């Protein structure tokens, strides 16, 4: 078994073995780009390390040392003391890109003797001690786990004592002194001197990289990104090139296209006289890449040509790192660039237009979930004045309460608060909090700072480098330019598309006016796959759904039609009616409203069909809670407040989810089903007069067996027949049912003998199959996920094993009885890509999700069909 | 097809065709007992009537007329006018005995001419007009549906005018006048004269009997007795014999053994100079059958010998009707007598001792449900003085609120009130209310009155003939001998075993000191069948269970161990603990209590095993509601009332049934599972020191899959191992799980790979499979049953189709993985005979029910094995 590969021995297909970074370094080497020499310790070595109880076995050590020798030969330098010392970087590189998650050490191989040699060689003691002190700090942090802060405070103290503010203002002696101080700090913490032996340095560094595979941040990152825990990481060892030798040196990062908008234009930043981490960490605010054209046009043009070579070679947007060492350009990394969903979409569509990729490539390249984020919410038109402006680092809009620490965001989230994380700058330790924040605001850092990169990847709205603001993270205070002080819990609105910050809660709206999106979605229609319908309760929903390409409405929740203030009143009277006669009279008030709703909904959706679910939720959900509302209601019902309260109390239930709801309402109050049927059939008759034909699909909720279904169906049929006879017309309609209780799955054959279609209501089916109340499960579900008793939240992604097995039983029983039965799903899962794939596999005909999930669902369906 | 059978053509096996009454009349005819001649119109004729749109077809009419002719020949009498007129009775007779449900007409064939002839023949005009007026009233009631009241009021008026109180005080002229009045009343109501044609009379009467099969009372009776609706009824036509000719005539009913106690002694009542209905209807209070020995010893001895013949022939206790016509005894009916459960048991055991039936016969003869009623509750020893004494018509004890009308009882039941029905006398219209009453008290009527017979059959406690009380059913007042007036809603206690009435609420206790019961139950152990274990949470429960023959404890609900006031306090502190440390300290207070409980439970049950379910219900069920209790708790926890209320609010759930309960508690608070494991293992160690060995079966509730189960099992195993190591002993124990969520059924194979036993928790499984909250389903379940959308309450008898199919899946998956897995059921269904049969069929090893259900379960298990 070979555990170490030189860059020449690898290529981009070897990601699993060499990690993404290593494979790409190898690939760039083959493309004859200027890559500093180096080698890769494989992920197999990482596995071996874990199997070998956290030790690197001898054979691997000796392979590493052989490659170091090889490097010495290739570079003509010596590892350790010598006239031309070889310094190296040690970087992790997992098969999947995990930015900021794994640790990096630069300038390894340094010690007092090496420093002396380097000074002799470069005649640049400032550069040498700058490199030395950086190395000590990184080594102490990454290998030993000491707080960087200890070292940074020393640097700050020193600058204060010297009365300077920037690192660049320190001279060689200062940095030499700091280096000595760092060595002492290390010795104090470790009780041993800093290791001078470069071989010991490299082996400990490699061990640290392996170990870091299992640090908390890495584990969390893998968890939220669904990356398996058993891949392991490779280690990249590479000859150092120095961006910090002087003003003809520098370092930078750039994308071949704009990662925020997708615009086809080089996009990046650089810093002269700096090492790589300075750009990424956001400590100094770097210059835009365009300025390099002024600073060094030759290097700029050279870099531009490398960027083009790489993008054409990889057929994807590249994220590159480079270093300029005394006027010479080196490529240190390339990878497919992370980008915002909007950029992702634009790049995919542009590349199809450019002939670089096919439509199928484009469809397969975008994560369905990202399309959701393209529909980033935005603020409605408003006249508020912003209080500050930063960089528009990650698009979208967010309103929430201010929190100054990631852990406070996590707490706020648990209390169902929308949080805005406000920090000077973010670091990998903040990942979990960032994930839970609605928006992120940083005072420092550029478009490629940690905050910006991570927020874009997560699709979280972010404004970075908003330097007109100041914060005190300990006091938890944010100081505005207008001298206002905001505290934890105060409201902030962030507009990630223009970088503006507001102190009022702005109103938001969804945004689907993205021309790339509609073009992209139209390609999904060329792929034969499961149909995608929309859950829509209003004409407005139906318009959005149609625009986004929904193939009809798969769920209209009739109770939602009564949520508006002017309608809920009549609805409440109906609920609280004390006699059949009273209830019928209030239902008669509701009839014209509901008929008009259906009329509009059908008209918008025709010729596609609309599935109408009859009244479903427990009635008491609609009851008034405010005293004033109650008084109004009592007056209108002409009863006392006591009487009203009694009627309200009578509707209370211990377990409303399993209570008097669904078709149980139609059975106890058939007059409700009669009214709803009237409204539907009469709406169809009105449309018929306009020559619009639609076949309404009447859906009975919460059915437990055939008898129950047939009982309600008879009410529907009798009512429909009566109205059609009165109007002397014939309206086609179907009557089907939700399948959302386990019993209905078990008896699906019987039910299918009467029902013309099924729609799986997987929200309730999941609740009942697990016995998990969705409203209460936050008391224990997080523990299940933490303890890995459960790998995913079954309310987000369908439990294929349990709930799915009941669905399979139902599908097979139903098709046995009625081979052409129409089968769909209308739970929340209908918008989840993994669940859509499952639905396609078990033979459902359609999924029905909320209008803004349509793009996700359509793409997921197309991908599932393509794969 | 033959539609009419003479008595000679039938026998007792032909019940389905001839009805029970007809088949037995035929059988008695073959036994040469003195049965008046007659014939039977079959149930097939009834079906034909309903198929033929409510008309009796010609062929059947002509068969009936042929048999009338045959009767005329046999009796030498003429139907219609003639010198010796033939009068007949028309009685319904369904395949199952339905006492009081169908209607009877006596003296049919009567008209003015016939009356004249009869007077000439008998020289007894009083008898003739008594018969005539009875006939008119019965015909008007049964055939035309006119209120009997109209006629009875006329009778009352007449008596008042004549200043007499008893019917017997009226002479022939009076009765003639009344007859004329009745005919007029009929004509007024009907706008037509009373039909004089006997042929028309009989055909209309037969039609009325057929029609009465579907009257409300009959339908309700069939419903509560699970008698199919499609059997139909036969009609018995029989020559009249007259108990009302004079003082040497009479009529009576008797049982071969005491239907209340089972004592082997003729038991019954008779009235001289009366027709049958007078005895049954409770209008006059009859004399005990013993007195017949004085009135007419020959007849008495003759009757006694017939009774013995019939009992030996039928090998069961008989309920007989007889008439004495001018000194000659006629047998009018025999059937297997209805009896109290206590009598049923005693008769079965006695008949085994007498060699009349085998043990298997005895086991098959008793309805399992009846054994429940043998354990009739009784009053605890007390010193209350009774306010009245009536007949001990149906044993048991009842405490409840007074209601004067059956419909008020039904209303009270809906409001979960215990009702005592108090009436002058009951009638078939009251059946439904009687069924819902806890007890029945009638002012009039004997031991065989309608109230007494029906109450005994239903197992409802009843005191009849309590004549020292008076009531006003309109004013709804009950007048006690001590001049107290009780009103609707006041409390009454009835002791059905001695007939005593109390106006205070006496305390009740269960009664299982029935020697017949224990002997009878011991016979079930001779039949190989599914095992019966008990649900028992205390030593006291365990003792009862053992006494009644439970084969171990199948469910110990550990949370029930903390319900007593002195324990709930420590338990509440544990629930409300705010930190792990706090919770552990309160758990340490609970540990010795729980250990002692287990010690006692194990000791009582050894060598049988005990299944211990870990803490299951949502914690908030245990929280205090009283202000004082809350204050005490806050003080003890050393927190403010606000803080306490906050903690309490935090535990509230929207759908607690599907909330933070079951093994979810062990996963979030593993310290609870640790404490419970400690208590179990330490109790076993204590018992080991007394040389008592028991294998505790630790049961994890509400499991949804294998991972979850394994997580909790590991807590149990780790804790047990630690304790065993500390004590240097080895204790055997098993860890298994409840199967009570649908997902666990679907994944039973995975779970069985870790779990050593399963117990189906069919209460929760039913809730989740249907999505029916048991606490709320009373809002719609009654409608489902009324509308026959559902044929039984799935919480009472297992839903074999739905829930049962999930159980079958689970059993088959589990046995596949672990062929010798122990499988049980511990839901409420475990005490339901039909459900037990199902459990046996699908291969469960045991059922576990509440201690007082053990007899029912054991008998049901034995019967299921025998059948």
């Amino acid at each position: 078994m070979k555990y170490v590969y030189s860059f020449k021995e690898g290529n981009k297909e070897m990601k699993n073995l060499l990690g993404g970074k290593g494979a790409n370094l190898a690939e760039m080497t083959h493309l004859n780009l200027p890559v500093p020499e180096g080698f890769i310790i494989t992920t197999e070595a990482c596995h071996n390390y874990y199997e070998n109880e956290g030790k690197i076995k001898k054979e691997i050590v000796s392979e590493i040392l052989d490659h170091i020798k090889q490097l010495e030969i290739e570079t003509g330098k010596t590892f350790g003391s010598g006239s031309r010392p070889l310094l190296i970087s040690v970087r992790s590189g997992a098969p999947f890109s995990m930015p900021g998650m794994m640790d990096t050490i630069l300038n390894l191989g340094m010690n007092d003797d090496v420093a002396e040699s380097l000074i002799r060689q470069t005649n640049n003691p400032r550069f040498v001690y700058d490199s030395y002190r950086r190395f000590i700090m990184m080594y102490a942090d990454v290998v030993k786990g000491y707080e960087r802060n200890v070292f940074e405070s020393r640097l700050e103290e020193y600058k204060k004592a010297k009365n300077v503010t920037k690192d660049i203002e320190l001279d060689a002696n200062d940095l030499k002194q700091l280096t000595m101080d760092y060595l002492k700090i290390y010795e104090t913490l470790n009780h041993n001197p800093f290791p001078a032996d470069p071989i010991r340095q490299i082996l400990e560094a490699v061990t640290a990289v392996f170990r870091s595979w299992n640090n908390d941040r890495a584990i969390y990152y893998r968890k939220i990104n669904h990356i398996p825990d058993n891949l392991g990481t490779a280690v990249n060892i590479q000859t150092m090139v120095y961006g910090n030798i002087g003003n003809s040196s520098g370092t930078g990062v750039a994308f071949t296209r704009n990662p925020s908008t997708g615009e086809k234009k080089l996009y990046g930043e650089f810093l002269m006289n700096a090492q790589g981490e300075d750009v990424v960490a956001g400590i100094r605010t770097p210059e835009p890449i365009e300025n390099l054209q002024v600073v060094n046009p030759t290097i700029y043009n050279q870099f531009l040509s490398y960027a083009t070579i790489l993008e054409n070679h990889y057929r994807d947007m590249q994220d590159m790192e480079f270093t300029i060492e005394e006027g010479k350009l080196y490529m240190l990394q390339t990878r497919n660039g992370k980008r915002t969903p909007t950029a992702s979409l634009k790049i995919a569509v542009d590349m199809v237009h450019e002939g670089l990729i096919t439509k199928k490539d484009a469809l397969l390249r975008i994560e369905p979930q990202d399309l959701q984020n393209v529909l980033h919410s935005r603020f409605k038109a408003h006249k508020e004045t912003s209080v500050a402006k930063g960089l528009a680092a990650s698009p979208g809009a967010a309103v929430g309460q201010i929190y100054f620490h990631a852990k406070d965001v996590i707490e706020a989230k648990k209390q169902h608060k929308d949080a805005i994380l406000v920090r000077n700058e973010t670091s990998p330790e903040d990942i979990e909090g960032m994930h839970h924040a609605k928006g992120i605001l940083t005072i420092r850092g550029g478009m490629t700072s940690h905050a910006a990169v991570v927020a874009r990847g997560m699709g979280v709205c972010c404004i970075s480098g908003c330097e007109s603001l100041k914060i005190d993270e300990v006091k938890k205070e944010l100081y505005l330019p207008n001298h206002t002080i905001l505290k934890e819990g105060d409201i902030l609105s962030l507009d990630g598309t223009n970088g503006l910050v507001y102190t009022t809660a702005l109103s938001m709206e969804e945004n689907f006016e993205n021309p790339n999106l509609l073009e992209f979605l139209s390609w999904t229609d060329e792929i034969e796959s499961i149909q995608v319908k929309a859950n829509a309760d209003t004409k407005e929903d139906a318009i959005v759904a149609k625009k986004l390409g929904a193939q009809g409405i798969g769920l209209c929740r009739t109770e939602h039609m009564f949520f508006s203030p002017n309608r809920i009143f009549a609805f409440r009277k109906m609920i609280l009616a004390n006699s059949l006669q009273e209830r019928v009279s209030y239902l008669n008030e509701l009839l014209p409203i509901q008929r008009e709703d259906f009329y509009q909904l059908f008209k918008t959706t025709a010729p596609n069909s609309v599935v109408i679910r009859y009244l479903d939720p427990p009635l008491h959900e609609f009851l008034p809670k405010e005293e004033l509302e109650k008084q109004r209601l009592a007056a209108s019902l002409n009863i006392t407040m006591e009487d009203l309260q009694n009627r309200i109390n009578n509707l209370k239930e211990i377990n409303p989810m399993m209570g008097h709801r669904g078709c149980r309402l139609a059975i106890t109050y058939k007059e409700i089903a009669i009214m709803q049927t009237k409204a539907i059939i009469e709406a169809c008759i009105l449309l018929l007069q306009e020559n619009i034909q639609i076949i309404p699909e009447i859906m009975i909720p919460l059915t437990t067996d055939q008898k129950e279904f047939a009982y309600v169906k008879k009410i529907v049929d009798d009512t429909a027949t009566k109205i059609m006879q009165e109007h002397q017309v014939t309206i086609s309609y179907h009557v089907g049912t939700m399948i959302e209780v386990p019993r209905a799955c078990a008896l699906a054959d019987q039910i299918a003998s009467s029902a013309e279609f099924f729609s799986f209501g997987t929200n309730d089916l999941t609740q009942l199959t697990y016995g998990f109340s969705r409203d209460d499960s936050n008391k224990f579900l997080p523990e299940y996920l933490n303890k890995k008793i459960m790998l995913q939240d079954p309310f987000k992604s369908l439990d294929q094993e349990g709930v799915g097995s009941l669905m399979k039983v139902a599908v097979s029983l139903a098709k046995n009885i009625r081979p052409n039965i129409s089968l769909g799903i209308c739970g929340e899962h209908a918008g989840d890509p993994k669940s859509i794939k499952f639905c396609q596999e078990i033979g459902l005909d359609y999924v029905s999700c909320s209008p803004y999930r349509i793009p996700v669902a359509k793409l997921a369906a197309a991908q599932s069909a393509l794969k």
Side-chain angles (χ1 to χ4, degrees), chain A:
Chain A
M1 171 84 69
K2 176 175 164 70
Y3 288 103
V4 183
Y5 285 71
S6 77
F7 289 169
K8 288 184 207 77
E9 294 172 311
N11 67 55
K12 73 175 160 63
E13 310 304 330
M14 295 166 76
K15 280 189 181 165
N16 279 340
L17 186 64
L18 306 183
K21 192 177 289 179
N24 286 330
L25 282 167
E27 190 76 12
M28 285 201 289
T29 302
H30 287 296
L31 289 172
N32 291 319
L33 299 186
V35 178
E37 295 84 351
F39 58 87
I40 305 147
I41 305 164
T42 64
T43 54
E44 288 293 345
C46 181
H47 298 155
N48 188 283
Y49 164 84
Y50 280 106
E51 282 156 17
N52 198 27
E53 292 168 353
K55 288 196 190 81
I56 303 174
K57 68 173 177 179
K58 273 190 195 160
E59 296 93 304
I60 299 178
V61 170
S62 94
E63 267 197 73
I64 293 173
L65 298 184
D66 286 351
H67 276 82
I68 290 281
K69 288 223 176 69
Q70 192 58 36
L71 262 195
E72 289 179 324
I73 292 165
E74 284 173 14
T75 59
K77 295 179 176 178
T78 333
F79 196 51
S81 51
S83 58
R84 298 187 63 220
L86 173 63
L87 295 191
I88 57 174
S89 65
V90 179
R91 282 189 175 97
S92 65
F96 288 89
S97 171
M98 292 168 69
M101 301 309 297
M102 308 298 294
D103 296 295
T104 295
I105 299 173
L106 300 179
N107 312 329
L108 188 139
M110 185 74 93
N111 59 31
D112 291 352
D113 291 348
V114 169
E116 291 297 327
S117 302
L118 261 183
I119 291 170
R120 276 195 298 275
Q121 187 197 333
T122 61
N123 206 16
N124 188 341
R126 190 192 180 286
F127 148 68
V128 173
Y129 286 110
D130 188 43
S131 302
Y132 199 172
R133 62 107 191 163
R134 285 175 193 264
F135 170 55
I136 298 161
M137 184 171 74
M138 283 188 272
Y139 187 92
D141 171 17
V142 173
V143 177
K144 295 297 174 189
Y146 304 144
E147 295 259 337
R148 255 175 207 247
N149 241 347
V150 188
F151 296 95
E152 279 172 350
S153 323
R154 179 68 200 110
L155 176 61
E156 292 304 314
E157 274 169 35
Y158 194 95
K159 286 196 282 189
K160 212 166 168 191
K162 274 213 70 172
N163 206 19
V164 301
T165 58
K166 294 185 182 160
D167 295 3
I168 208 80
E169 296 172 87
L170 299 174
D171 63 20
N173 275 333
D174 296 330
L175 292 168
K176 183 173 183 184
Q177 183 56 51
L178 274 168
T179 301
M180 299 302 118
D181 290 355
Y182 278 18
L183 287 172
K184 264 181 228 148
I185 293 171
Y186 181 94
E187 196 167 341
T188 312
L189 292 169
N190 193 263
H191 309 298
N192 284 302
F194 188 83
D197 175 12
I199 300 297
R200 188 174 151 206
Q201 287 174 4
I202 190 176
L203 293 179
E204 290 224 31
V206 171
T207 306
V209 172
F210 286 158
R211 215 163 49 218
S212 76
W213 173 253
N214 271 340
N215 73 27
D216 293 345
R217 305 186 317 248
I219 290 171
Y220 184 75
Y221 185 89
R222 290 199 293 272
K223 191 170 135 190
I224 64 173
N225 287 283
H226 305 289
I227 297 174
D229 281 337
N230 62 358
L231 292 178
T233 182
V235 188
N236 300 290
I237 308 291
Q238 193 171 21
T239 311
M240 280 301 303
V241 287
Y242 306 98
N244 58 342
I245 291 189
N247 288 334
S248 66
S249 300
T251 188
V253 298
F255 297 87
T256 55
R257 305 189 186 214
N258 186 314
S260 185
T261 63
E263 192 190 359
K264 192 182 178 186
K265 191 183 162 201
L266 198 61
Y267 179 90
E269 295 163 321
F270 72 100
L271 272 173
M272 296 311 282
N273 200 10
Q275 272 202 332
E277 47 160 5
D278 300 339
V279 182
V280 181
I283 292 169
R284 283 162 62 192
T285 301
E287 292 185 67
I289 193 82
E290 292 88 348
N291 295 5
L292 188 58
Q293 221 166 347
V294 180
V295 174
N296 190 333
T298 315
I299 291 284
Y300 179 80
N301 287 331
Q302 204 176 1
F303 182 68
L304 201 58
S305 76
Y306 294 164
T308 309
I309 289 168
L310 286 170
E311 190 179 271
N312 287 338
H313 184 71
Y314 283 95
R315 297 168 60 241
D316 202 352
M317 184 265 264
Q318 293 300 295
D319 168 4
M320 305 155 293
E321 290 182 17
F322 63 93
T323 283
I324 308 163
E325 187 184 65
E326 297 188 312
K328 180 164 165 34
L329 176 64
Y330 291 94
M331 297 301 285
L332 295 185
Q333 180 171 328
T334 193
R335 59 183 173 189
N336 292 341
K338 296 216 175 266
R339 61 206 82 177
T340 63
T342 308
S344 181
L345 183 64
K346 179 169 166 55
I347 291 168
V349 172
D350 285 351
M351 284 186 172
V352 168
H353 293 167
E354 292 161 22
L356 209 56
I357 59 175
T358 65
K359 286 179 187 176
K360 280 187 188 175
D361 289 336
L363 288 175
L364 287 170
R365 187 169 279 187
I366 292 185
E367 275 299 306
Q369 192 52 50
D370 282 350
L371 289 193
Q372 179 66 23
N373 296 326
V374 168
L375 303 173
H376 274 302
S377 47
R378 62 182 181 190
F379 291 127
K380 287 188 183 161
H382 64 89
K383 294 187 173 173
E384 292 294 324
T385 312
S386 63
V387 293
K389 186 170 197 302
L391 302 172
S394 177
V399 179
Q401 291 175 270
I402 299 173
Y403 292 92
F404 293 91
H405 298 278
K407 66 176 175 41
D408 296 335
V409 170
I410 297 166
E411 271 312 302
K413 168 84 179 184
K414 280 183 193 160
Q415 291 161 42
H416 304 286
K417 291 178 183 163
D418 289 342
I420 304 285
L421 178 63
V422 181
R423 303 272 307 156
N424 271 317
E425 59 206 279
T426 62
S427 71
E429 283 82 3
D430 298 327
I431 292 271
E432 190 177 351
M434 294 170 77
H435 191 62
H436 289 313
K438 286 278 164 187
I440 297 165
L441 171 64
T442 69
I443 311 307
R444 296 205 284 264
M447 288 296 287
T448 53
S449 67
H450 179 265
V453 170
V454 170
R456 276 197 298 273
M458 289 174 172
V460 173
C461 155
C462 176
I463 296 175
S464 65
C466 192
E467 307 213 9
S468 64
L469 302 176
K470 301 283 164 244
I471 63 170
D472 184 325
E473 293 177 355
V474 175
K475 278 182 154 173
K476 301 189 177 177
E477 291 181 342
L478 172 64
Y479 308 100
L480 303 188
N482 64 8
H483 303 297
T484 310
I485 301 176
L486 298 183
K487 292 177 185 284
E488 186 178 271
D490 287 345
I491 288 290
L492 221 53
S493 294
L494 306 184
D495 191 333
T497 51
N498 55 24
L500 293 174
V501 178
Y502 302 85
T503 53
T504 45
L506 297 179
S507 299
M508 297 212 283
E509 63 183 12
E510 299 293 326
N511 167 21
F512 59 92
E513 304 291 344
N514 183 322
N516 292 317
L517 177 63
L518 296 182
E519 179 176 4
F520 181 81
L521 284 180
S522 75
W523 300 342
T524 66
D525 292 329
E526 296 167 18
I527 312 296
E528 183 146 348
S529 71
I530 196 169
Q531 280 202 311
V532 176
K533 302 189 184 200
N535 299 350
D537 313 317
T538 62
K539 183 184 162 186
E540 291 68 33
D541 286 349
I543 290 170
V544 172
K546 195 165 201 175
K547 184 147 193 173
L548 291 174
Q551 289 144 310
I553 292 179
L555 176 64
C556 162
R557 289 153 293 205
T558 52
E559 61 274 8
H560 285 202
M561 297 175 151
F562 297 109
F563 275 149
S564 72
N566 51 335
R567 292 171 169 203
I568 191 97
F569 194 71
F571 194 75
R572 282 174 178 162
K573 290 200 289 183
M574 186 279 284
I575 292 172
L576 290 165
N578 229 3
S579 68
L580 172 62
Q581 200 191 357
E582 225 187 302
R583 189 171 307 103
V584 168
S585 84
Y586 297 131
L587 282 167
N588 285 340
E589 289 181 27
L590 294 173
L591 174 61
I593 300 174
Q594 184 127 69
R595 182 175 53 221
E596 172 66 15
D597 282 348
F598 288 139
Y599 170 84
Q600 295 292 351
L601 205 58
F602 295 169
K603 193 167 180 175
T604 308
T605 311
N608 283 325
S609 71
V610 177
V611 177
I612 305 119
R613 185 178 72 186
Y614 275 22
L615 209 63
D616 180 39
L619 295 181
H620 65 77
E621 277 189 13
F622 291 90
L623 293 176
K625 285 168 191 81
E626 301 290 322
E627 201 57 21
L628 216 71
E629 275 300 293
K630 286 187 191 174
Q631 282 168 7
R632 217 181 122 214
L633 205 55
S636 173
L637 285 166
N638 201 18
I639 59 177
T640 65
M641 281 294 278
E642 278 101 338
D643 196 355
L644 181 73
Q645 195 55 53
N646 277 338
R647 293 193 191 182
I648 289 177
N649 290 344
N650 279 340
L651 287 171
K652 284 221 175 104
E653 294 184 301
I654 312 269
N655 297 295
M657 193 268 131
M658 309 163 79
H660 193 189
R661 50 172 293 227
C663 64
R664 298 162 202 175
L665 291 170
I667 289 189
T668 49
Y669 304 127
K670 74 179 210 174
E671 53 277 17
I672 299 178
I674 290 173
M675 183 279 276
Q676 297 204 290
T677 307
K678 269 191 196 163
I680 291 168
I681 301 297
E682 289 176 1
C684 288
I685 292 173
L686 288 174
L687 287 168
L688 208 57
Q689 291 160 0
E690 301 176 30
N691 264 324
I692 299 173
Q693 254 189 318
I694 184 158
I695 299 180
E697 315 218 26
I698 293 173
M699 182 157 75
I700 310 304
L702 221 66
T703 298
T704 62
D705 62 20
Q706 187 273 338
K707 277 192 180 173
E708 189 184 34
F709 176 80
Y711 188 92
V712 182
K713 182 173 187 296
K714 186 167 183 314
I715 299 172
V716 172
D717 288 342
D718 289 352
T719 308
T721 305
K722 189 158 162 270
I723 296 166
M724 293 190 295
Q725 279 169 355
E726 280 167 16
H727 289 78
Q728 300 202 314
V729 292
T730 303
I731 303 288
S732 293
Y733 63 92
H734 298 139
V735 188
T737 182
M738 296 275 282
I739 299 291
E740 49 186 338
V741 306
R743 195 169 191 270
C745 293
L747 304 178
D749 45 353
Q750 298 182 10
I751 298 173
S753 71
S754 302
E756 290 168 275
F757 64 90
F758 280 3
S759 178
F760 287 96
T762 51
N763 295 348
D764 282 355
L765 191 57
T766 300
Q767 293 198 78
L768 293 169
T769 303
Y770 273 97
F772 280 178
S773 163
R774 204 175 170 180
D775 295 317
D776 303 303
S777 60
N778 61 334
K779 292 205 169 140
F780 50 87
L781 219 48
E783 285 288 294
Y784 275 74
L785 294 166
N786 276 342
K787 290 177 174 156
K788 301 217 174 167
I789 297 169
M790 218 173 250
L791 298 180
Q792 57 179 15
D793 180 341
F795 293 114
K796 292 198 179 134
S797 195
L798 192 73
D799 160 39
Q800 298 182 11
E801 200 176 43
V803 176
S805 80
L806 289 178
M807 289 171 73
K808 277 191 217 163
V809 166
V811 168
S812 125
L813 288 174
K815 288 202 168 173
N816 230 359
I817 290 290
R818 191 186 285 263
N820 64 343
I821 189 167
S822 156
L823 300 172
I825 172 177
C826 61
E828 205 110 316
H829 304 106
D832 170 65
K834 265 199 289 183
S835 310
I836 291 169
K837 183 160 176 285
F838 178 77
C839 291
Q840 183 137 326
E841 282 163 7
I842 66 170
L844 301 198
D845 302 302
Y846 68 88
V847 300
S848 184
C849 57
S850 65
Y852 288 101
R853 294 294 290 182
I854 300 276
V856 175
K858 285 185 73 118
L859 179 54
Q863 288 188 348
S864 161
L866 283 172
K867 275 169 191 168

